[in-house]
Amino acid sequence: MKQTKCVWQFHDKNDALKEVFDYFRFCTNEMIRVSIQKNLTSRGAMHNEFYKNLRGDFFAKYIQSATSTAKARLKLYRTTKKKKLDAKIPYVKRNMITLDNQSFKIQNDTIRIPIKPYKYIFIKLHSYVIKQLVDTKVGSITITPEKLIISYSKEIIEIIPDNMVGIDRNLDNCTSFDTTGKFMVYNLEKTNQIKEKYKIVKSHFKRNDIRIRKKLYSKYGKKEKNRVHQLIHETSKKIVSQGMGVVMEDIKGIRKLYRKGNGQGKKYRGKMNTWSFYELQRQIQYKALWAGLPVQYVKANGTSSKCSKCGSKLVPEENRMMTCNICKTTVDRDINASRNILNRGMRFVPHAVQSEAMKQFKDAEQIVPSYFGGFK
């Protein structure tokens, strides 16, 4: 099983790359514009149309990379236009370039990047980056005015774990429940405090110049993002380090629930719409797959409102506690949800009534022992 990751570092070659950035951006936007006019859909047709016209003094592989970038933007645009007729034509504004692994060379802890024929720039790679690239296959690189991003991959041996863990993601915490009966609650309140702090800081900006205000917002936005992502990295690392298969909810359309006019307050909508639920999912997924652990997704409907023992409707109590009037169980809302997620991922509900188990999970007893080493 092949898995891909990225590693990045800062660089100071922005001035040397300025002309390349401008050339790459021009090529990409020109390809998008003409491809829409002539209805070009394949990468080969785009390459044949533009290679001779856009081929200049720069390294020829930039034309191929710009074609791939334009093709990806056009594909997204055409998909969006089917649902939204007034979708805007894509236009690349940011400075960036991409190159495949045949265009650059890494030697003696230094990467050599071509600009023009027989003209290169050299970037010293950090020791951490070199360590990550050992025993891997280096893929493409992406360069921005500040960062050098290197993708790499390797063959991973898939592991069949003895245990699985269900993950319930919430605004203030992440709760896990595994097949050994152990649960963990990871506190993420600090991420919301960081977001609220930077929101207050940015609300005090009074500059009339929109360019300066945009730079300030970008500066503090990056600081906020880095601090929040670091906390999420710590949590996702703890979850994956247990060496268990992961089951998570497939959360879709949650942003539509907190739009203006839905009856919620402005402050509540702002808090829910800045919830980093997908970032936590992304980090858990790529770390688990890199470790060879399976990742499953289940439907999110009813995981918090149904009893994980008997499947009945729960009655909410104080302090996020839930009570079942059928089996008389009182349980924390998040622990109950993580247990339901785990049960759905394993396709087996150990404590459900027989009729419900047979109806929802046919032949579950034959599936579970063979895959999880006899767990019941």
Side-chain angles (χ1 to χ4, degrees):
M1 181 176 62
K2 185 178 180 180
Q3 296 296 332
T4 303
K5 288 179 66 175
C6 292
V7 63
W8 63 270
Q9 70 172 58
F10 291 108
H11 69 84
D12 57 354
K13 303 297 183 180
N14 184 32
D15 294 337
L17 291 169
K18 188 177 183 307
E19 291 184 355
V20 187
F21 285 140
D22 294 339
Y23 174 70
F24 190 88
R25 187 174 63 253
F26 167 75
C27 291
T28 305
N29 289 326
E30 186 68 9
M31 290 178 182
I32 292 173
R33 183 183 67 83
V34 178
S35 295
I36 292 176
Q37 290 180 354
K38 297 187 177 182
N39 195 26
L40 303 178
T41 57
S42 69
R43 185 178 285 104
M46 293 173 63
H47 185 270
N48 293 335
E49 177 72 24
F50 298 106
Y51 184 78
K52 292 182 179 180
N53 296 332
L54 298 178
R55 178 75 170 90
D57 297 332
F58 293 92
F59 187 59
K61 284 291 185 72
Y62 285 120
I63 296 292
Q64 298 180 11
S65 300
T67 304
S68 299
T69 303
K71 179 69 170 58
R73 298 292 182 98
L74 285 171
K75 182 178 180 181
L76 179 60
Y77 165 71
R78 285 165 177 150
T79 303
T80 305
K81 195 174 181 181
K82 293 178 181 178
K83 301 178 181 179
K84 190 177 180 181
L85 297 178
D86 60 342
K88 293 184 179 180
I89 296 175
Y91 184 82
V92 179
K93 295 181 180 179
R94 295 184 177 180
N95 289 331
M96 60 161 287
I97 55 176
T98 61
L99 281 174
D100 59 33
N101 58 359
Q102 302 297 320
S103 305
F104 61 90
K105 186 176 183 180
I106 298 177
Q107 189 175 13
N108 299 327
D109 299 347
T110 303
I111 184 170
R112 187 188 73 179
I113 302 170
I115 300 178
K116 296 180 180 180
Y118 306 105
K119 183 178 180 180
Y120 309 93
I121 63 167
F122 298 88
I123 299 177
K124 181 73 173 178
L125 297 179
H126 296 168
S127 59
Y128 174 78
V129 176
I130 295 297
K131 182 179 178 181
Q132 297 301 311
L133 298 179
V134 173
D135 298 328
T136 63
K137 182 179 179 180
V138 179
S140 62
I141 63 171
T142 301
I143 308 174
T144 68
E146 297 177 348
K147 296 180 180 180
L148 167 66
I149 306 166
I150 306 174
S151 67
Y152 60 99
S153 62
K154 70 176 182 178
E155 291 293 330
I156 303 295
I157 300 175
E158 189 173 2
I159 301 172
I160 300 179
D162 295 329
N163 297 292
M164 300 286 286
V165 58
I167 308 295
D168 178 50
R169 290 162 287 160
N170 300 286
L171 182 64
D172 296 324
N173 66 70
C174 174
T175 307
S176 68
F177 188 93
D178 59 47
T179 50
T180 65
K182 178 183 176 182
F183 71 88
M184 291 289 293
V185 179
Y186 304 91
N187 192 349
L188 295 174
E189 289 184 0
K190 192 172 181 180
T191 60
N192 298 319
Q193 295 172 1
I194 292 172
K195 293 175 183 178
E196 186 64 27
K197 176 182 176 180
Y198 279 96
K199 182 179 179 181
I200 294 173
V201 170
K202 289 185 285 188
S203 68
H204 293 159
F205 295 160
K206 303 297 181 183
R207 294 292 188 109
N208 293 327
D209 193 330
I210 190 172
R211 294 171 298 177
I212 296 177
R213 189 164 65 245
K214 188 176 180 179
K215 288 182 180 179
L216 289 173
Y217 270 97
S218 177
K219 173 184 175 181
Y220 285 93
K222 289 179 181 177
K223 288 185 176 182
E224 174 190 337
K225 179 181 176 181
N226 291 337
R227 291 184 63 185
V228 170
H229 282 201
Q230 180 60 33
L231 293 174
I232 295 177
H233 268 296
E234 294 173 0
T235 301
S236 59
K237 185 177 180 180
K238 290 178 183 178
I239 293 173
V240 176
S241 63
Q242 301 177 61
M244 301 183 184
V246 178
V247 185
M248 290 185 286
E249 296 172 298
D250 186 13
I251 300 178
K252 293 181 179 179
I254 194 169
R255 301 300 187 204
K256 297 179 182 179
L257 301 177
Y258 305 103
R259 290 178 176 175
K260 186 175 181 180
N262 285 5
Q264 301 105 350
K266 182 178 179 181
K267 185 176 181 180
Y268 180 74
R269 289 201 315 273
K271 183 182 292 187
M272 293 304 297
N273 284 323
T274 57
W275 175 25
S276 304
F277 70 93
Y278 182 77
E279 179 60 23
L280 179 59
Q281 170 186 315
R282 185 190 68 84
Q283 292 190 20
I284 292 175
Q285 177 176 324
Y286 88 75
K287 290 177 182 178
L289 293 177
W290 191 259
L293 299 171
V295 178
Q296 301 180 41
Y297 290 95
V298 298
K299 292 184 178 179
N301 297 341
T303 54
S304 298
S305 60
K306 290 184 178 181
C307 179
S308 57
K309 286 190 174 182
C310 67
S312 303
K313 186 76 173 179
L314 293 175
V315 179
E317 302 288 348
E318 295 180 351
N319 300 322
R320 297 184 68 82
M321 300 300 292
M322 308 287 283
T323 300
C324 178
N325 292 329
I326 304 300
C327 62
K328 308 302 179 182
T329 300
T330 300
V331 64
D332 181 84
R333 175 189 178 96
D334 302 330
I335 297 175
N336 180 76
S338 60
R339 188 172 183 175
N340 275 327
I341 294 168
L342 175 63
N343 292 341
R344 292 183 183 183
M346 295 181 63
R347 304 189 63 81
F348 180 58
V349 184
H351 301 285
V353 294
Q354 184 177 3
S355 60
E356 182 181 5
M358 292 298 292
K359 181 179 179 181
Q360 293 185 358
F361 310 114
K362 184 178 180 181
D363 298 331
E365 293 183 351
Q366 285 75 24
I367 297 173
V368 174
S370 63
Y371 189 80
F372 297 101
F375 173 80
K376 294 184 178 180

